[in-house]
Every structure is written in structure tokens, then in C-alpha cells.
Amino acid sequence: MAKPSFNSLAFFLLLLSLLSPLSQSRRPPQFLRKPSRNQNPQINNNVVNQQQYKSYSYETRYFDQILDHFSFDDRLPNFRQRYLINSDHWVGPSRLGPIFLYCGNEGDIEWFAANTGFVWELAPRFGAMVVFPEHRYYGESMPYGSQKEAYKNASTLAHLTAEQALADYAVLITDLKRNLSAEACPVILFGGSYGGMLAAWMRVKYPHIAIGALASSAPILQFEDIVPPQTFYDIVSNDFRRESTSCFDTIKKSWDIITSVGQKTNGLDHLAKTFHLCGKLESSQDLSDWLDSAYSYLAMVDYPYPSEFLMPLPAYPIKEVCKEIDNLPDGTSVLDRIFKGVSVYYNYTGIADCFQLDDDPHGMSGWNWQACTEMVMPLSSDRNSSMFPEWDYNSTSFAEDCWDEFRVIPRPTWITTEFGGHNYKSVLETFGSNIIFSNGLLDPWSGGSVLKNISESVVALVTEKGAHHLDLRASTMNDPDWLVEQRASEVKIIEGWIVNYNEKLVFNM
């Protein structure tokens, strides 16, 4: 899941109260959100994305989906849910060919399909069909005919929930299997980040639909007080401290300097010039949010090889950021060091002449609604352990902001009521089965995930140097041994699920 304020509708989850320069109004990064940059006019980013999307072959289809699965109100319109499907390697229903379903996240499904190479690579090995359904209210799967109408108000957004999305997937896959006479074919769920949460929850809520789930980087425990709220930013901070304590210290110093400069006459203009912003800077907080987003994303995608998932980045980009910050000549100002470092994230290719502070290239702004209703994830920053300014989660202020923005009141305990979370070890051990929780400890969202085995079939695969759902990405020649081993473990477990399912099916026939 980025991180601006609600006024800019930029990046991610929550708004926090404005109490003092050290406790600022902030929203944590959404799971997957690509911040904007002003492209070179000669570079057509849409063409680049289209070329990337075509790297895997699939047919695009649409399914007539019910808007509210949990009522019988025939006055509500249906909507067309987009899904991507490939059956090139599927061995068919007579051989119980498995179906691999990726639980679509909070964005355009083609983007997720293009960045989930692991599923595509497994299909030939297992003779599997691949299905990527799009999450309602994202991409082309818009109720009411358009995003403008769907996002109009709380009434039209009311059915943008995780529960409705899971029901979409259940109905879609059931209908698809029926039409293919493939009712007996096993379904394996995959998902990363919010999609990983959906995969885990769907396995628990719909065990008759899917026989297992790989939930990568899925922070299902990041609700209420299940994990300490400072965990996310502590992990981000530790990732930078691990590379360079001086880099960590420079970033920690920068926030007060940015605030101080912004309060001076023409200070905002000076900040805008220093950081090569395209337009006028409205507040120093907007700049701080932009930087915060970059650091958080860098921790999420601190991959061991070059990547272009969120931005074009080098291998281990945090290391490169800290090199830029630390290696400037003595006497270089803190702000100049910060700009040089953050340019690794926002402008590694060097094509950006200036920077905008907010944008929504993957159509992810619907997450603002989800964060204000049921996906309430309290985050905070600790003065001693974090390189970020100190601030505390303030539920009252957050609720007021959500009311101002959407005329809706958050329900911070609803997710744990619906899907669980408290006492999760006992619950999953007793009622759960066939779930893999995979995490890399460089990923700040790992702190809200399951990091220890629950039972023989609910297992945690944890890598010390892994980042945000790295295991779901396509394999490369540069994959470290620990990543190869992690994927091999996942394949073995999934294979066991399928073999066990087939054996029980034959036995019961």
C-alpha cells in the first residue's frame, strides 16, 4: 500500500492529529502506491506500462457481478468485473487441473499481473489455469459506470469493502468452474500485501472455494492493538540505520530543518527550489509527506536486484540512497543531502526535470475510503527508535478527518470482528489450514504479519533480507540463494496441498 494528507488524497492509510512540530498530521503508506514524478515529455509512461503488461499472455474478460452480495435489493445495479485469464497450460477438468487465482489488490489488475511472475511461472509446472480478478472499484471494475460516479459519495462507495470483494472472487470462480465442468478442480489463492490479506481471509471464510492460500507480505495483524503501532516506522528506520548510522541521523535531523525553513519568509519557495518541485509548495508538511513516502517505499522495495515495480530503482536502493547522502562533500547542507538521496527513488533514471507531490497513476485512491471505513491500521512514530518525527495515532482526529472527507465514521474493530486477529494463533491452529504467510524482514509491513508457524499446515516462511512480497515476483538470474530456497519451499507446500486434495477426492469417490 504512499503517504500524503487527506487534502491531497495522495498516498496511504491514516491521518493523524496535528499537535506540534513533532506530532504532525500524517498518513502511513498504502500498501502499493506509485508516487508521481513529472516525466520527460518524450517519455510516454502509458506506453511503457502497456509494454510491461504484455509480458504475460492472457485474455481479458468481464463478469456481470452483483453490487451487494449480502442483501436482496434488486434496485442496485450490477457492474462488470474485469478478470484476466490464461489456460494455455491448464490440463483440464478430466485431470483435475488446478486453478491459480490471484486476489486482486487496490489498483489496476494488469499492474499486479505484470508484477506477479511467480504465479505465471508455476502454471506450466502444475498444469494450472491462471486467473487474475480485479478488485471492485479499481481499474475497469467500476460500479455505476465510471470512477467519477462510483466515488461520488458515501452512498455510492458503500460497497467498496473487503467482504464484498471476497464474495466477488467466490462467485466468479464458482461460475467459471461450473461453465468449464471443472467443479472438482482445486483452487489455490495467491496475493501480496492487501491481496495477501484477502487470500488468507478468503481461505478462512471460503474453505470450500479454495484449498490453500499463499499470503505474501500480508499484515493481517496491523489492526487495533494487536501489534505496537510504531512497528512499521521502526522497521523502516532500522533498514536505513542498518546501512548507515550517519544516513539515519541526517534524515532524522531533516524534519525540524524543513519545518523551520518553511516558517521563514519565502521559506516554502526555498524548499520548492531545493527539491526541484514543479509547482508551488503549500506547506512544509506536504514536502515531509513526500519524503516520508519515499523512505517507506524504499524499505518496501529494497530488492536485491534492480526493479521497476514502484519506480526504476537499483539493487538494494536504500544502500544507494545512503551513499548519496553520506558521500557529498563536507559542508553540504542537510537539505541538499536529502534531495540527493531521495532522487535515487524519484529520479534514478534522471529523466525528471521537476517533481509533483501527488498523483494516482494506478487508480488507487479508493484506498482512502477503505482506510476510513474498515481498514483502520493505527501507526505511530517513536522519538527514540524512529528516524521520523514523533507522532501518535489519534483516533478522534482520524475520525474527524474521515467525516470531513467522506461523511463516514470509521469502524476500527470491524476487521477483527469479521476476520479475526486477536488470539490469532489459537484460532488459526484450531480452525485454519493450508495457508503460507511469507515475509521478508526488510519490509515494514512484515511487523503486522504472521512470522511464526501456527500449525503443520499454517506456516510462516520468513527471510531476513526479503522485502515486500519479493517471492511473488518473477525469478531472475540475480535471485539470491535464500530467495530461491523460499520459493522452492512454497512450491513444495503447494504441491503437497494438491496431492493431498486429489488423494482424498479419489478416496471419497
PDB file of all heavy atoms in Angstrom, residues 29-58:
ATOM      1  N   PRO A  29       1.977   4.898   4.651  1.00  0.00           N
ATOM      2  CA  PRO A  29       1.925   4.491   3.266  1.00  0.00           C
ATOM      3  C   PRO A  29       0.888   3.422   3.018  1.00  0.00           C
ATOM      4  O   PRO A  29       0.760   2.522   3.786  1.00  0.00           O
ATOM      5  CB  PRO A  29       3.304   3.938   3.018  1.00  0.00           C
ATOM      6  CG  PRO A  29       4.119   4.407   4.112  1.00  0.00           C
ATOM      7  CD  PRO A  29       3.227   4.722   5.251  1.00  0.00           C
ATOM      8  N   GLN A  30       0.193   3.553   1.938  1.00  0.00           N
ATOM      9  CA  GLN A  30      -0.693   2.492   1.495  1.00  0.00           C
ATOM     10  C   GLN A  30       0.190   1.338   1.057  1.00  0.00           C
ATOM     11  O   GLN A  30       1.387   1.471   0.956  1.00  0.00           O
ATOM     12  CB  GLN A  30      -1.501   3.035   0.312  1.00  0.00           C
ATOM     13  CG  GLN A  30      -2.619   2.187  -0.165  1.00  0.00           C
ATOM     14  CD  GLN A  30      -3.396   2.906  -1.231  1.00  0.00           C
ATOM     15  OE1 GLN A  30      -3.315   4.120  -1.348  1.00  0.00           O
ATOM     16  NE2 GLN A  30      -4.123   2.175  -1.998  1.00  0.00           N
ATOM     17  N   PHE A  31      -0.397   0.200   0.809  1.00  0.00           N
ATOM     18  CA  PHE A  31       0.426  -0.963   0.502  1.00  0.00           C
ATOM     19  C   PHE A  31       1.225  -0.771  -0.769  1.00  0.00           C
ATOM     20  O   PHE A  31       2.419  -0.896  -0.805  1.00  0.00           O
ATOM     21  CB  PHE A  31      -0.452  -2.203   0.383  1.00  0.00           C
ATOM     22  CG  PHE A  31      -1.138  -2.521   1.649  1.00  0.00           C
ATOM     23  CD1 PHE A  31      -2.504  -2.447   1.748  1.00  0.00           C
ATOM     24  CD2 PHE A  31      -0.413  -2.863   2.761  1.00  0.00           C
ATOM     25  CE1 PHE A  31      -3.144  -2.727   2.932  1.00  0.00           C
ATOM     26  CE2 PHE A  31      -1.049  -3.140   3.950  1.00  0.00           C
ATOM     27  CZ  PHE A  31      -2.415  -3.072   4.029  1.00  0.00           C
ATOM     28  N   LEU A  32       0.537  -0.475  -1.838  1.00  0.00           N
ATOM     29  CA  LEU A  32       1.218  -0.331  -3.107  1.00  0.00           C
ATOM     30  C   LEU A  32       0.752   0.957  -3.758  1.00  0.00           C
ATOM     31  O   LEU A  32      -0.376   1.057  -4.187  1.00  0.00           O
ATOM     32  CB  LEU A  32       0.889  -1.515  -4.024  1.00  0.00           C
ATOM     33  CG  LEU A  32       1.256  -2.863  -3.441  1.00  0.00           C
ATOM     34  CD1 LEU A  32       0.734  -3.968  -4.333  1.00  0.00           C
ATOM     35  CD2 LEU A  32       2.746  -2.990  -3.287  1.00  0.00           C
ATOM     36  N   ARG A  33       1.633   1.895  -3.879  1.00  0.00           N
ATOM     37  CA  ARG A  33       1.206   3.179  -4.415  1.00  0.00           C
ATOM     38  C   ARG A  33       2.390   3.839  -5.057  1.00  0.00           C
ATOM     39  O   ARG A  33       3.398   4.073  -4.410  1.00  0.00           O
ATOM     40  CB  ARG A  33       0.653   4.044  -3.302  1.00  0.00           C
ATOM     41  CG  ARG A  33       0.339   5.452  -3.717  1.00  0.00           C
ATOM     42  CD  ARG A  33      -0.991   5.520  -4.462  1.00  0.00           C
ATOM     43  NE  ARG A  33      -1.480   6.864  -4.521  1.00  0.00           N
ATOM     44  CZ  ARG A  33      -1.006   7.766  -5.368  1.00  0.00           C
ATOM     45  NH1 ARG A  33      -0.041   7.478  -6.182  1.00  0.00           N
ATOM     46  NH2 ARG A  33      -1.505   8.977  -5.373  1.00  0.00           N
ATOM     47  N   LYS A  34       2.313   4.110  -6.316  1.00  0.00           N
ATOM     48  CA  LYS A  34       3.429   4.697  -7.032  1.00  0.00           C
ATOM     49  C   LYS A  34       3.333   6.210  -7.012  1.00  0.00           C
ATOM     50  O   LYS A  34       2.464   6.782  -7.669  1.00  0.00           O
ATOM     51  CB  LYS A  34       3.438   4.200  -8.479  1.00  0.00           C
ATOM     52  CG  LYS A  34       4.595   4.720  -9.308  1.00  0.00           C
ATOM     53  CD  LYS A  34       4.534   4.126 -10.695  1.00  0.00           C
ATOM     54  CE  LYS A  34       5.655   4.662 -11.567  1.00  0.00           C
ATOM     55  NZ  LYS A  34       5.605   4.117 -12.925  1.00  0.00           N
ATOM     56  N   PRO A  35       4.190   6.898  -6.263  1.00  0.00           N
ATOM     57  CA  PRO A  35       4.149   8.356  -6.241  1.00  0.00           C
ATOM     58  C   PRO A  35       4.463   8.934  -7.620  1.00  0.00           C
ATOM     59  O   PRO A  35       5.024   8.267  -8.469  1.00  0.00           O
ATOM     60  CB  PRO A  35       5.237   8.724  -5.237  1.00  0.00           C
ATOM     61  CG  PRO A  35       5.443   7.500  -4.433  1.00  0.00           C
ATOM     62  CD  PRO A  35       5.181   6.362  -5.361  1.00  0.00           C
ATOM     63  N   SER A  36       4.104  10.189  -7.801  1.00  0.00           N
ATOM     64  CA  SER A  36       4.226  10.772  -9.130  1.00  0.00           C
ATOM     65  C   SER A  36       5.578  11.417  -9.342  1.00  0.00           C
ATOM     66  O   SER A  36       6.305  11.734  -8.429  1.00  0.00           O
ATOM     67  CB  SER A  36       3.149  11.842  -9.313  1.00  0.00           C
ATOM     68  OG  SER A  36       3.420  12.929  -8.451  1.00  0.00           O
ATOM     69  N   ARG A  37       5.888  11.619 -10.577  1.00  0.00           N
ATOM     70  CA  ARG A  37       7.035  12.414 -10.967  1.00  0.00           C
ATOM     71  C   ARG A  37       6.699  13.017 -12.313  1.00  0.00           C
ATOM     72  O   ARG A  37       5.961  12.431 -13.100  1.00  0.00           O
ATOM     73  CB  ARG A  37       8.291  11.565 -11.075  1.00  0.00           C
ATOM     74  CG  ARG A  37       8.089  10.389 -12.002  1.00  0.00           C
ATOM     75  CD  ARG A  37       9.318   9.541 -12.119  1.00  0.00           C
ATOM     76  NE  ARG A  37       9.007   8.434 -13.004  1.00  0.00           N
ATOM     77  CZ  ARG A  37       9.892   7.623 -13.499  1.00  0.00           C
ATOM     78  NH1 ARG A  37      11.148   7.779 -13.211  1.00  0.00           N
ATOM     79  NH2 ARG A  37       9.546   6.651 -14.288  1.00  0.00           N
ATOM     80  N   ASN A  38       7.204  14.180 -12.583  1.00  0.00           N
ATOM     81  CA  ASN A  38       6.922  14.828 -13.846  1.00  0.00           C
ATOM     82  C   ASN A  38       7.821  14.229 -14.915  1.00  0.00           C
ATOM     83  O   ASN A  38       9.031  14.410 -14.910  1.00  0.00           O
ATOM     84  CB  ASN A  38       7.170  16.332 -13.726  1.00  0.00           C
ATOM     85  CG  ASN A  38       6.546  17.087 -14.870  1.00  0.00           C
ATOM     86  OD1 ASN A  38       5.485  16.723 -15.342  1.00  0.00           O
ATOM     87  ND2 ASN A  38       7.196  18.150 -15.277  1.00  0.00           N
ATOM     88  N   GLN A  39       7.216  13.490 -15.828  1.00  0.00           N
ATOM     89  CA  GLN A  39       8.004  12.766 -16.815  1.00  0.00           C
ATOM     90  C   GLN A  39       8.559  13.696 -17.890  1.00  0.00           C
ATOM     91  O   GLN A  39       7.989  14.744 -18.206  1.00  0.00           O
ATOM     92  CB  GLN A  39       7.131  11.698 -17.484  1.00  0.00           C
ATOM     93  CG  GLN A  39       6.614  10.635 -16.547  1.00  0.00           C
ATOM     94  CD  GLN A  39       7.676   9.633 -16.193  1.00  0.00           C
ATOM     95  OE1 GLN A  39       8.787   9.662 -16.703  1.00  0.00           O
ATOM     96  NE2 GLN A  39       7.340   8.742 -15.292  1.00  0.00           N
ATOM     97  N   ASN A  40       9.664  13.285 -18.475  1.00  0.00           N
ATOM     98  CA  ASN A  40      10.173  13.929 -19.679  1.00  0.00           C
ATOM     99  C   ASN A  40       9.078  13.863 -20.745  1.00  0.00           C
ATOM    100  O   ASN A  40       8.512  12.801 -20.977  1.00  0.00           O
ATOM    101  CB  ASN A  40      11.425  13.182 -20.148  1.00  0.00           C
ATOM    102  CG  ASN A  40      12.066  13.851 -21.349  1.00  0.00           C
ATOM    103  OD1 ASN A  40      11.404  14.236 -22.291  1.00  0.00           O
ATOM    104  ND2 ASN A  40      13.384  13.961 -21.300  1.00  0.00           N
ATOM    105  N   PRO A  41       8.732  14.962 -21.406  1.00  0.00           N
ATOM    106  CA  PRO A  41       7.643  14.935 -22.385  1.00  0.00           C
ATOM    107  C   PRO A  41       7.844  13.878 -23.473  1.00  0.00           C
ATOM    108  O   PRO A  41       6.881  13.437 -24.083  1.00  0.00           O
ATOM    109  CB  PRO A  41       7.672  16.352 -22.978  1.00  0.00           C
ATOM    110  CG  PRO A  41       8.283  17.196 -21.916  1.00  0.00           C
ATOM    111  CD  PRO A  41       9.289  16.303 -21.240  1.00  0.00           C
ATOM    112  N   GLN A  42       9.074  13.482 -23.722  1.00  0.00           N
ATOM    113  CA  GLN A  42       9.327  12.484 -24.755  1.00  0.00           C
ATOM    114  C   GLN A  42       9.075  11.066 -24.273  1.00  0.00           C
ATOM    115  O   GLN A  42       9.055  10.131 -25.070  1.00  0.00           O
ATOM    116  CB  GLN A  42      10.784  12.598 -25.248  1.00  0.00           C
ATOM    117  CG  GLN A  42      11.082  13.939 -25.915  1.00  0.00           C
ATOM    118  CD  GLN A  42      12.516  14.026 -26.368  1.00  0.00           C
ATOM    119  OE1 GLN A  42      13.343  13.185 -26.055  1.00  0.00           O
ATOM    120  NE2 GLN A  42      12.827  15.059 -27.133  1.00  0.00           N
ATOM    121  N   ILE A  43       8.873  10.905 -22.967  1.00  0.00           N
ATOM    122  CA  ILE A  43       8.621   9.580 -22.418  1.00  0.00           C
ATOM    123  C   ILE A  43       7.124   9.405 -22.218  1.00  0.00           C
ATOM    124  O   ILE A  43       6.491  10.162 -21.495  1.00  0.00           O
ATOM    125  CB  ILE A  43       9.345   9.403 -21.069  1.00  0.00           C
ATOM    126  CG1 ILE A  43      10.846   9.610 -21.260  1.00  0.00           C
ATOM    127  CG2 ILE A  43       9.063   8.028 -20.490  1.00  0.00           C
ATOM    128  CD1 ILE A  43      11.505   8.587 -22.159  1.00  0.00           C
ATOM    129  N   ASN A  44       6.549   8.394 -22.864  1.00  0.00           N
ATOM    130  CA  ASN A  44       5.127   8.098 -22.694  1.00  0.00           C
ATOM    131  C   ASN A  44       4.989   6.973 -21.697  1.00  0.00           C
ATOM    132  O   ASN A  44       5.206   5.805 -22.014  1.00  0.00           O
ATOM    133  CB  ASN A  44       4.515   7.693 -24.051  1.00  0.00           C
ATOM    134  CG  ASN A  44       3.003   7.546 -23.962  1.00  0.00           C
ATOM    135  OD1 ASN A  44       2.478   7.139 -22.927  1.00  0.00           O
ATOM    136  ND2 ASN A  44       2.304   7.879 -25.040  1.00  0.00           N
ATOM    137  N   ASN A  45       4.633   7.324 -20.462  1.00  0.00           N
ATOM    138  CA  ASN A  45       4.586   6.314 -19.401  1.00  0.00           C
ATOM    139  C   ASN A  45       3.508   5.279 -19.660  1.00  0.00           C
ATOM    140  O   ASN A  45       3.641   4.119 -19.281  1.00  0.00           O
ATOM    141  CB  ASN A  45       4.333   6.996 -18.052  1.00  0.00           C
ATOM    142  CG  ASN A  45       4.765   6.134 -16.885  1.00  0.00           C
ATOM    143  OD1 ASN A  45       5.815   5.506 -16.945  1.00  0.00           O
ATOM    144  ND2 ASN A  45       3.959   6.098 -15.850  1.00  0.00           N
ATOM    145  N   ASN A  46       2.399   5.675 -20.308  1.00  0.00           N
ATOM    146  CA  ASN A  46       1.344   4.705 -20.603  1.00  0.00           C
ATOM    147  C   ASN A  46       1.838   3.636 -21.555  1.00  0.00           C
ATOM    148  O   ASN A  46       1.502   2.463 -21.426  1.00  0.00           O
ATOM    149  CB  ASN A  46       0.131   5.416 -21.212  1.00  0.00           C
ATOM    150  CG  ASN A  46      -0.589   6.264 -20.188  1.00  0.00           C
ATOM    151  OD1 ASN A  46      -0.580   5.949 -19.012  1.00  0.00           O
ATOM    152  ND2 ASN A  46      -1.214   7.348 -20.640  1.00  0.00           N
ATOM    153  N   VAL A  47       2.635   4.032 -22.533  1.00  0.00           N
ATOM    154  CA  VAL A  47       3.181   3.050 -23.462  1.00  0.00           C
ATOM    155  C   VAL A  47       4.115   2.101 -22.736  1.00  0.00           C
ATOM    156  O   VAL A  47       4.086   0.883 -22.949  1.00  0.00           O
ATOM    157  CB  VAL A  47       3.926   3.752 -24.620  1.00  0.00           C
ATOM    158  CG1 VAL A  47       4.655   2.726 -25.474  1.00  0.00           C
ATOM    159  CG2 VAL A  47       2.943   4.547 -25.469  1.00  0.00           C
ATOM    160  N   VAL A  48       4.940   2.644 -21.850  1.00  0.00           N
ATOM    161  CA  VAL A  48       5.850   1.798 -21.079  1.00  0.00           C
ATOM    162  C   VAL A  48       5.059   0.772 -20.277  1.00  0.00           C
ATOM    163  O   VAL A  48       5.374  -0.419 -20.263  1.00  0.00           O
ATOM    164  CB  VAL A  48       6.710   2.654 -20.131  1.00  0.00           C
ATOM    165  CG1 VAL A  48       7.523   1.759 -19.206  1.00  0.00           C
ATOM    166  CG2 VAL A  48       7.641   3.546 -20.936  1.00  0.00           C
ATOM    167  N   ASN A  49       3.984   1.227 -19.608  1.00  0.00           N
ATOM    168  CA  ASN A  49       3.175   0.314 -18.819  1.00  0.00           C
ATOM    169  C   ASN A  49       2.496  -0.728 -19.678  1.00  0.00           C
ATOM    170  O   ASN A  49       2.417  -1.896 -19.322  1.00  0.00           O
ATOM    171  CB  ASN A  49       2.121   1.099 -18.028  1.00  0.00           C
ATOM    172  CG  ASN A  49       2.721   1.875 -16.871  1.00  0.00           C
ATOM    173  OD1 ASN A  49       3.799   1.529 -16.396  1.00  0.00           O
ATOM    174  ND2 ASN A  49       2.051   2.915 -16.425  1.00  0.00           N
ATOM    175  N   GLN A  50       1.984  -0.331 -20.857  1.00  0.00           N
ATOM    176  CA  GLN A  50       1.338  -1.286 -21.744  1.00  0.00           C
ATOM    177  C   GLN A  50       2.315  -2.345 -22.200  1.00  0.00           C
ATOM    178  O   GLN A  50       1.990  -3.530 -22.284  1.00  0.00           O
ATOM    179  CB  GLN A  50       0.739  -0.555 -22.940  1.00  0.00           C
ATOM    180  CG  GLN A  50      -0.477   0.302 -22.586  1.00  0.00           C
ATOM    181  CD  GLN A  50      -0.906   1.204 -23.719  1.00  0.00           C
ATOM    182  OE1 GLN A  50      -0.384   1.095 -24.832  1.00  0.00           O
ATOM    183  NE2 GLN A  50      -1.847   2.098 -23.448  1.00  0.00           N
ATOM    184  N   GLN A  51       3.524  -1.948 -22.507  1.00  0.00           N
ATOM    185  CA  GLN A  51       4.530  -2.919 -22.906  1.00  0.00           C
ATOM    186  C   GLN A  51       4.827  -3.887 -21.767  1.00  0.00           C
ATOM    187  O   GLN A  51       4.989  -5.092 -21.977  1.00  0.00           O
ATOM    188  CB  GLN A  51       5.804  -2.195 -23.350  1.00  0.00           C
ATOM    189  CG  GLN A  51       5.631  -1.408 -24.647  1.00  0.00           C
ATOM    190  CD  GLN A  51       6.839  -0.551 -24.970  1.00  0.00           C
ATOM    191  OE1 GLN A  51       7.710  -0.329 -24.124  1.00  0.00           O
ATOM    192  NE2 GLN A  51       6.898  -0.063 -26.202  1.00  0.00           N
ATOM    193  N   GLN A  52       4.882  -3.374 -20.555  1.00  0.00           N
ATOM    194  CA  GLN A  52       5.140  -4.226 -19.407  1.00  0.00           C
ATOM    195  C   GLN A  52       3.996  -5.212 -19.205  1.00  0.00           C
ATOM    196  O   GLN A  52       4.200  -6.382 -18.946  1.00  0.00           O
ATOM    197  CB  GLN A  52       5.307  -3.376 -18.155  1.00  0.00           C
ATOM    198  CG  GLN A  52       5.608  -4.175 -16.898  1.00  0.00           C
ATOM    199  CD  GLN A  52       5.587  -3.308 -15.663  1.00  0.00           C
ATOM    200  OE1 GLN A  52       4.805  -2.376 -15.573  1.00  0.00           O
ATOM    201  NE2 GLN A  52       6.425  -3.613 -14.698  1.00  0.00           N
ATOM    202  N   TYR A  53       2.750  -4.734 -19.349  1.00  0.00           N
ATOM    203  CA  TYR A  53       1.604  -5.592 -19.139  1.00  0.00           C
ATOM    204  C   TYR A  53       1.566  -6.739 -20.141  1.00  0.00           C
ATOM    205  O   TYR A  53       1.041  -7.802 -19.847  1.00  0.00           O
ATOM    206  CB  TYR A  53       0.305  -4.787 -19.243  1.00  0.00           C
ATOM    207  CG  TYR A  53       0.109  -3.767 -18.157  1.00  0.00           C
ATOM    208  CD1 TYR A  53      -0.745  -2.684 -18.333  1.00  0.00           C
ATOM    209  CD2 TYR A  53       0.772  -3.865 -16.937  1.00  0.00           C
ATOM    210  CE1 TYR A  53      -0.937  -1.742 -17.332  1.00  0.00           C
ATOM    211  CE2 TYR A  53       0.585  -2.935 -15.940  1.00  0.00           C
ATOM    212  CZ  TYR A  53      -0.261  -1.872 -16.145  1.00  0.00           C
ATOM    213  OH  TYR A  53      -0.450  -0.942 -15.160  1.00  0.00           O
ATOM    214  N   LYS A  54       2.096  -6.535 -21.341  1.00  0.00           N
ATOM    215  CA  LYS A  54       2.048  -7.557 -22.382  1.00  0.00           C
ATOM    216  C   LYS A  54       3.115  -8.631 -22.202  1.00  0.00           C
ATOM    217  O   LYS A  54       3.231  -9.531 -23.020  1.00  0.00           O
ATOM    218  CB  LYS A  54       2.199  -6.895 -23.755  1.00  0.00           C
ATOM    219  CG  LYS A  54       1.006  -6.012 -24.140  1.00  0.00           C
ATOM    220  CD  LYS A  54       1.221  -5.353 -25.490  1.00  0.00           C
ATOM    221  CE  LYS A  54       0.033  -4.456 -25.851  1.00  0.00           C
ATOM    222  NZ  LYS A  54       0.241  -3.768 -27.152  1.00  0.00           N
ATOM    223  N   SER A  55       3.892  -8.563 -21.117  1.00  0.00           N
ATOM    224  CA  SER A  55       4.945  -9.558 -20.931  1.00  0.00           C
ATOM    225  C   SER A  55       4.373 -10.924 -20.604  1.00  0.00           C
ATOM    226  O   SER A  55       5.056 -11.926 -20.732  1.00  0.00           O
ATOM    227  CB  SER A  55       5.916  -9.104 -19.831  1.00  0.00           C
ATOM    228  OG  SER A  55       5.226  -8.947 -18.604  1.00  0.00           O
ATOM    229  N   TYR A  56       3.103 -10.989 -20.154  1.00  0.00           N
ATOM    230  CA  TYR A  56       2.429 -12.249 -19.923  1.00  0.00           C
ATOM    231  C   TYR A  56       1.170 -12.295 -20.787  1.00  0.00           C
ATOM    232  O   TYR A  56       0.491 -11.290 -20.970  1.00  0.00           O
ATOM    233  CB  TYR A  56       2.062 -12.415 -18.444  1.00  0.00           C
ATOM    234  CG  TYR A  56       3.263 -12.439 -17.533  1.00  0.00           C
ATOM    235  CD1 TYR A  56       3.511 -11.373 -16.676  1.00  0.00           C
ATOM    236  CD2 TYR A  56       4.156 -13.510 -17.549  1.00  0.00           C
ATOM    237  CE1 TYR A  56       4.626 -11.379 -15.848  1.00  0.00           C
ATOM    238  CE2 TYR A  56       5.262 -13.515 -16.716  1.00  0.00           C
ATOM    239  CZ  TYR A  56       5.499 -12.453 -15.876  1.00  0.00           C
ATOM    240  OH  TYR A  56       6.609 -12.459 -15.071  1.00  0.00           O
ATOM    241  N   SER A  57       0.875 -13.471 -21.298  1.00  0.00           N
ATOM    242  CA  SER A  57      -0.245 -13.626 -22.211  1.00  0.00           C
ATOM    243  C   SER A  57      -1.510 -13.983 -21.437  1.00  0.00           C
ATOM    244  O   SER A  57      -1.501 -14.887 -20.602  1.00  0.00           O
ATOM    245  CB  SER A  57       0.069 -14.722 -23.239  1.00  0.00           C
ATOM    246  OG  SER A  57      -1.048 -14.992 -24.046  1.00  0.00           O
ATOM    247  N   TYR A  58      -2.584 -13.261 -21.724  1.00  0.00           N
ATOM    248  CA  TYR A  58      -3.852 -13.565 -21.085  1.00  0.00           C
ATOM    249  C   TYR A  58      -4.989 -12.982 -21.914  1.00  0.00           C
ATOM    250  O   TYR A  58      -4.797 -12.107 -22.760  1.00  0.00           O
ATOM    251  CB  TYR A  58      -3.917 -13.002 -19.663  1.00  0.00           C
ATOM    252  CG  TYR A  58      -3.508 -11.545 -19.529  1.00  0.00           C
ATOM    253  CD1 TYR A  58      -4.368 -10.514 -19.906  1.00  0.00           C
ATOM    254  CD2 TYR A  58      -2.255 -11.198 -19.031  1.00  0.00           C
ATOM    255  CE1 TYR A  58      -4.001  -9.190 -19.786  1.00  0.00           C
ATOM    256  CE2 TYR A  58      -1.878  -9.872 -18.904  1.00  0.00           C
ATOM    257  CZ  TYR A  58      -2.746  -8.877 -19.282  1.00  0.00           C
ATOM    258  OH  TYR A  58      -2.377  -7.559 -19.169  1.00  0.00           O
TER     259      TYR A  58
END
